[in-house]
Amino acid sequence: MSALEVDGVEVRLGRRATTPILHGVDLTARSGEIVGLIGETGSGKTTLARAVVGLAPLHAGTVRVDGTPVSGLRGAELRRFRRGGRVQYVFQDPLRSLDPDVTVLDSVAEGPAIRGDGQGADRRARAVAALEQVGLDPALGDRLPGRLSGGQRQRVTIARALAVDPRVLLLDEPVSALDAANRNHVLRLLDRLRREREVAIVLITHDLGSLAGIADRIVVLYRGRVVEEGPAARVLLEPADPYTQRLIASVPSIDGPRPIYARSTT
Ligand SMILES: Nc1ncnc2c1ncn2[C@@H]1O[C@H](COP(=O)(O)OP(=O)(O)OP(=O)(O)O)[C@@H](O)[C@H]1O
């Protein structure tokens, strides 16, 4: 059983939900697996992530987490599921996803507070641990997001997600705005999370070089449909679908077997 199972998902958006965006999309991620989700701008990657966490309504299909169909949850059940934090979505734009008036530490402690985990001191300890996990100095905890660098803000959004110990983590372009050092740090962190905490990770990115050394599988979306899916090395080095071939050919760093980021074996 996969931690995340997306089955035949259709999403329609726009006025009166008449514009079809996703057409019967399937996606799975097992515990400890990193799945890369790629596709050109507008192919539906963000919409799929939003559908998984219930932010985009499903026209058809199901989303299951640990075998439980969460797409059918309503009312109190849905609220309980959201509070539980088993699925976390790290938005593309950290500035927009962090409240500008809430300090870093309070922002990271919010998830445990909503879940009702422990008391104030425990929550703060959890938040500090999450900040340390993403390589941020807990001394930054007293700052507001506007006083952080872009890379630090990105890590805060990831720390927020980690503070509730998710089973499934979806990250939307978590490394594209980062310099090489920050990018490698985040990628190593994701690799550790999947190995040590067996988190199922869906990584949305245009940065195929980042996926080369870290993703187990890659799923390719084109105009709201999955056109190819397979082991990362196979998809990146021997793409079968003509659209994937064009997508990969347009990225200069994916022209050989040497990944930019080598997966650590320790
Ligand atoms: N609220 C909305 N109403 C109508 N159409 C929408 C809405 N939100 C997104 N779309 C459309 O859905 C399609 C998929 O958008 P989405 O953001 O999921 O793509 P994406 O693959 O994540 O793109 P990017 O790589 O640029 O982030 C696009 O054509 C977009 O214009």
Side-chain angles (χ1 to χ4, degrees):
M1 182 180 66
S2 293
L4 175 68
E5 287 175 83
V6 171
D7 199 7
V9 157
E10 276 183 42
V11 171
R12 298 180 181 185
L13 297 175
R15 283 186 58 197
R16 290 200 288 273
T18 46
T19 311
I21 306 291
L22 298 178
H23 312 263
V25 170
D26 298 339
L27 176 86
T28 60
R30 291 188 304 275
S31 294
E33 187 179 36
I34 296 183
V35 178
L37 180 59
I38 67 173
E40 67 190 359
T41 289
S43 54
K45 305 179 297 295
T46 297
T47 304
L48 180 56
R50 288 173 59 85
V52 166
V53 293
L55 292 173
L58 301 194
H59 186 75
T62 45
V63 174
R64 288 190 184 80
V65 174
D66 286 336
T68 305
V70 295
S71 42
L73 299 180
R74 299 282 178 273
E77 274 184 337
L78 179 60
R79 285 195 293 279
R80 195 171 326 120
F81 171 72
R82 287 214 173 120
R83 268 203 310 276
R86 276 195 291 165
V87 181
Q88 290 291 306
Y89 174 36
V90 176
F91 289 82
Q92 191 162 3
D93 180 353
L95 249 195
R96 282 180 56 194
S97 58
L98 294 173
D99 186 330
D101 299 322
V102 175
T103 65
V104 165
L105 200 67
D106 285 347
S107 178
V108 176
E110 196 175 72
I114 291 172
R115 235 163 67 142
D117 287 350
Q119 298 302 309
D122 304 332
R123 290 173 195 156
R124 288 177 76 82
R126 248 180 125 128
V128 166
L131 287 175
E132 283 173 339
Q133 217 178 353
V134 300
L136 280 180
D137 183 348
L140 294 177
D142 292 335
R143 290 206 194 167
L144 294 173
R147 291 190 52 229
L148 299 176
S149 73
Q152 289 170 332
R153 276 197 290 265
Q154 186 64 267
R155 291 191 202 187
V156 172
T157 60
I158 298 174
R160 257 170 75 84
L162 297 187
V164 289
D165 218 2
R167 295 275 301 125
V168 178
L169 184 59
L170 300 118
L171 302 111
D172 206 342
E173 296 285 3
V175 293
S176 54
L178 304 182
D179 64 18
N182 272 306
R183 185 171 60 227
N184 282 344
H185 184 99
V186 169
L187 293 172
R188 273 198 207 95
L189 168 69
L190 298 182
D191 193 30
R192 246 189 16 246
L193 280 176
R194 64 95 155 264
R195 283 185 288 118
E196 293 171 6
R197 283 158 69 171
E198 302 223 307
V199 182
I201 296 175
V202 177
L203 183 53
I204 298 175
T205 185
H206 288 285
D207 180 2
L208 304 189
S210 293
L211 285 183
I214 193 173
D216 298 296
R217 276 189 304 121
I218 288 182
V219 174
V220 187
L221 265 190
Y222 177 59
R223 296 189 177 177
R225 288 190 167 82
V226 173
V227 292
E228 181 157 6
E229 189 261 307
R234 207 274 298 144
V235 173
L236 291 174
L237 298 176
E238 297 165 23
D241 184 84
Y243 168 71
T244 318
Q245 289 167 2
R246 285 201 304 279
L247 188 70
I248 287 171
S250 69
V251 179
S253 57
I254 301 294
D255 55 4
R258 218 151 33 107
I260 288 173
Y261 164 73
R263 183 160 150 193
S264 85
T265 50
T266 54

